[in-house]
Amino acid sequence: MKEKLTIVKVGGKIVEEADTLSQLLADFSAIPGYKLLVHGGGRSATKIAAQLGIESKMVDGRRITDAETLKVVTMVYGGLVNKNIVAGLQAKGVNAVGLTGADMNVIRSVKRPVKEIDYGYVGDVKHVDAEVLVSLISRGVVPVMAPLTHDGEGNMLNTNADTIAGETAKALAEAFDVTLIYCFEKKGVLRDAEDEDSVIPVITPDLFKKYVDEGVIQGGMIPKLENSFSAVEAGVSQVVITLASAIDGKSGTIIKK
Amino acid sequence: MKEKLTIVKVGGKIVEEADTLSQLLADFSAIPGYKLLVHGGGRSATKIAAQLGIESKMVDGRRITDAETLKVVTMVYGGLVNKNIVAGLQAKGVNAVGLTGADMNVIRSVKRPVKEIDYGYVGDVKHVDAEVLVSLISRGVVPVMAPLTHDGEGNMLNTNADTIAGETAKALAEAFDVTLIYCFEKKGVLRDAEDEDSVIPVITPDLFKKYVDEGVIQGGMIPKLENSFSAVEAGVSQVVITLASAIDGKSGTIIKK
């Protein structure tokens, strides 16, 4: 039987403020067994970019990454945010290692082709080296992954943290019984957007189709759940969408086959 | 017989400019066998700090690191400079991993006690985990170490790159036949400061004493050489002081027992 591995993806907001970061580090440290953290950092990047006189341009929530912006995200995601998390976890006895995709060639991507929009130095993930990650995790090391990859030609690329979490979970599903937890700003997928407590506990492919048909699930939640099902189809045991304060897995919405 | 390990320490100037970085990456990649790179990044830190409105205060060449400056060096050393080197080495087929002292708890330090000068968040190295580094190096991974450590209590600390190189070399001397190369702005230790070609090829402890007595070696070169002899005393096979463009080891000054 495969050993359990919990992959937690947490957005920028949580890791960028001292209070919420401190709580997250405590909660994440308390997760038993093998684990891996993927973090964002967009708010800090936007703030530092502004201080450096660089305007942040977003299209559909994605950052247009020109050469100057790439420097900022490399600094902020790979340095400031990542190392603060790593040092914080070490202080709690968690043997963390900060990684971008370039480190040990863990995630290689290709620069997104220019179509209607030129996203600039943004990477679409091509390959996750599961072997390197399994080797680290098996020795009790906890990878802390920044939303950065590389193209194998010397360039770092800005890469969506949800995508890194999803692709890493898929790549590790052969070696581990993987639970992928997406931290969300709500308690889970809500049946009624106005009612914070109307969390749908479990969504299967059949239920997903039904909820979409009924209009219960709509908008940006549809691609999020499609990505979750894609992870489950690729062998990830379950995906959980929940609050960062509930990563013990006892609440939230579980997406499974 | 121990296998050879080459540790190269390179200052900020070399790794911060595209041309010299490119040359360094080519030269470093060409070094045969096991290797490890330690880099600085002070010029970039000073520049980014200035752009962020943070004044860089230096005492005897050491940066006073207040809380805001710590954020800058964590970003610049751990993110911008480190990841550009790692991505550049990967492009040359060198399986680099960027590390600060916090990553896998590789280097733990203590915040420098306040005496006449309060250096702020500056770390004095207490322990280098040789086992972790040996494990990586033996698997063909090339550590690229940023001049940052941690205190084990959740804080990153700004740490002198020469010190990181020296302490890492000492810690690895039991496992490897270590050559430590300090890249320098001159061809080596000069017999005549006015003559760039008057490189002293070899300095032993006896010769060192003689040159100091004669006034041939003076000023800042004395502590640099004392540190080199301390590394040699601790088991490092030899220390080389040379130009970054000469890290093939065929020139420069060799410091040995």
Side-chain angles (χ1 to χ4, degrees):
Chain A
M1 223 179 73
K2 294 182 207 169
E3 298 213 57
K4 280 186 188 298
L5 168 70
T6 306
I7 297 180
V8 175
K9 185 265 162 174
V10 66
K13 196 173 178 183
I14 301 293
V15 294
E16 287 161 356
E17 284 165 27
D19 286 359
T20 50
L21 173 59
S22 168
Q23 186 60 50
L24 175 80
L25 296 178
D27 293 340
F28 182 76
S29 302
I31 294 175
Y34 294 135
K35 52 202 169 190
L36 182 155
L37 185 67
V38 180
H39 65 82
R43 283 169 183 78
S44 293
T46 297
K47 192 175 146 196
I48 302 267
Q51 287 174 352
L52 293 171
I54 299 163
E55 189 192 347
S56 291
K57 298 188 202 88
M58 312 292 284
V59 174
D60 293 338
R62 301 294 168 102
R63 188 178 302 270
I64 305 290
T65 309
D66 61 14
E68 286 305 305
T69 303
L70 180 65
K71 285 186 190 169
V72 172
V73 298
T74 302
M75 290 199 299
V76 173
Y77 301 162
L80 187 61
V81 177
N82 189 268
K83 299 313 170 192
N84 275 332
I85 295 173
V86 169
L89 287 175
Q90 288 289 352
K92 294 192 177 295
V94 174
N95 193 13
V97 65
L99 297 175
T100 67
D103 297 293
M104 289 189 274
N105 197 17
V106 166
I107 306 182
R108 189 177 288 227
S109 60
V110 290
K111 187 167 178 289
R112 185 169 299 166
V114 177
K115 292 179 184 166
E116 298 94 75
I117 298 159
D118 181 357
Y119 285 97
Y121 293 98
V122 163
D124 290 325
V125 173
K126 280 295 148 187
H127 184 255
V128 178
D129 190 330
E131 206 179 315
V132 168
L133 290 171
V134 169
S135 163
L136 289 169
I137 294 165
S138 304
R139 285 181 292 132
V141 174
V142 174
V144 175
M145 300 176 76
L148 294 165
T149 58
H150 78 135
D151 65 359
E153 291 161 20
N155 303 298
M156 297 298 293
L157 293 168
N158 187 11
T159 306
N160 181 266
D162 278 7
T163 305
I164 288 188
E167 294 301 320
T168 301
K170 288 180 195 174
L172 292 173
E174 201 181 311
F176 295 104
D177 169 7
V178 178
T179 291
L180 168 58
I181 302 178
Y182 281 114
C183 294
F184 191 48
E185 67 267 30
K186 303 204 165 166
K187 287 183 180 171
V189 181
L190 303 182
R191 195 182 295 270
D192 173 0
E194 305 298 306
D195 179 2
E196 282 289 332
D197 289 318
S198 66
V199 175
I200 303 173
V202 176
I203 305 181
T204 58
D206 285 349
L207 280 171
F208 178 51
K209 190 171 177 306
K210 176 171 166 284
Y211 288 137
V212 172
D213 287 346
E214 292 173 1
V216 170
I217 293 173
Q218 51 182 318
M221 188 49 80
I222 294 176
K224 206 173 186 84
L225 286 171
E226 282 170 346
N227 284 336
S228 299
F229 281 115
S230 142
V232 169
E233 283 302 318
V236 173
S237 304
Q238 57 178 7
V239 179
V240 181
I241 296 180
T242 191
L243 287 171
S245 58
I247 56 173
D248 57 3
K250 295 205 178 67
S251 63
T253 298
I254 295 172
I255 291 101
K256 61 182 187 183
K257 272 195 187 174
Chain B
M1 221 178 74
K2 293 183 207 168
E3 299 214 55
K4 280 185 186 299
L5 169 70
T6 307
I7 297 180
V8 176
K9 186 265 163 176
V10 66
K13 196 173 179 183
I14 302 292
V15 294
E16 288 162 355
E17 284 165 28
D19 286 0
T20 50
L21 173 60
S22 168
Q23 187 59 50
L24 174 80
L25 295 178
D27 294 340
F28 182 77
S29 301
I31 294 174
Y34 294 134
K35 51 201 169 189
L36 182 154
L37 185 66
V38 180
H39 66 83
R43 284 168 182 79
S44 293
T46 298
K47 191 175 145 197
I48 301 266
Q51 287 173 350
L52 293 171
I54 299 164
E55 189 192 347
S56 291
K57 298 187 202 89
M58 313 292 284
V59 175
D60 293 337
R62 300 294 168 103
R63 188 179 302 272
I64 305 290
T65 309
D66 61 12
E68 287 304 305
T69 303
L70 180 65
K71 284 185 191 171
V72 172
V73 298
T74 302
M75 288 199 300
V76 172
Y77 302 162
L80 187 61
V81 177
N82 189 267
K83 299 313 169 192
N84 275 332
I85 295 173
V86 169
L89 287 175
Q90 288 288 352
K92 296 195 176 292
V94 174
N95 194 13
V97 65
L99 297 175
T100 68
D103 297 293
M104 289 187 275
N105 196 17
V106 165
I107 307 181
R108 190 178 288 225
S109 59
V110 290
K111 188 169 176 289
R112 186 168 298 168
V114 177
K115 292 180 184 164
E116 300 94 74
I117 297 158
D118 181 358
Y119 285 95
Y121 293 98
V122 163
D124 290 325
V125 172
K126 279 296 146 182
H127 183 255
V128 178
D129 190 331
E131 204 180 316
V132 167
L133 291 171
V134 170
S135 164
L136 289 170
I137 293 165
S138 304
R139 286 181 292 132
V141 175
V142 174
V144 175
M145 300 176 75
L148 294 165
T149 58
H150 77 134
D151 66 359
E153 290 162 18
N155 303 299
M156 296 300 293
L157 292 168
N158 187 12
T159 306
N160 182 265
D162 278 7
T163 306
I164 288 188
E167 294 301 319
T168 300
K170 289 179 194 174
L172 292 173
E174 202 181 312
F176 296 102
D177 169 8
V178 178
T179 291
L180 168 58
I181 302 178
Y182 281 114
C183 294
F184 191 48
E185 67 268 30
K186 303 201 165 169
K187 286 182 181 172
V189 182
L190 303 182
R191 194 180 297 270
D192 173 0
E194 305 297 306
D195 179 3
E196 282 289 332
D197 290 318
S198 67
V199 175
I200 304 172
V202 175
I203 305 180
T204 58
D206 285 349
L207 280 170
F208 178 51
K209 193 173 175 304
K210 177 171 167 284
Y211 288 137
V212 171
D213 287 347
E214 292 173 1
V216 170
I217 292 173
Q218 51 184 316
M221 189 47 82
I222 294 177
K224 206 173 186 82
L225 286 170
E226 283 171 345
N227 284 336
S228 299
F229 281 115
S230 142
V232 169
E233 284 302 318
V236 173
S237 304
Q238 58 178 4
V239 178
V240 181
I241 296 180
T242 190
L243 288 171
S245 58
I247 56 173
D248 58 3
K250 295 203 177 68
S251 62
T253 299
I254 295 171
I255 291 101
K256 60 182 186 185
K257 271 196 189 174

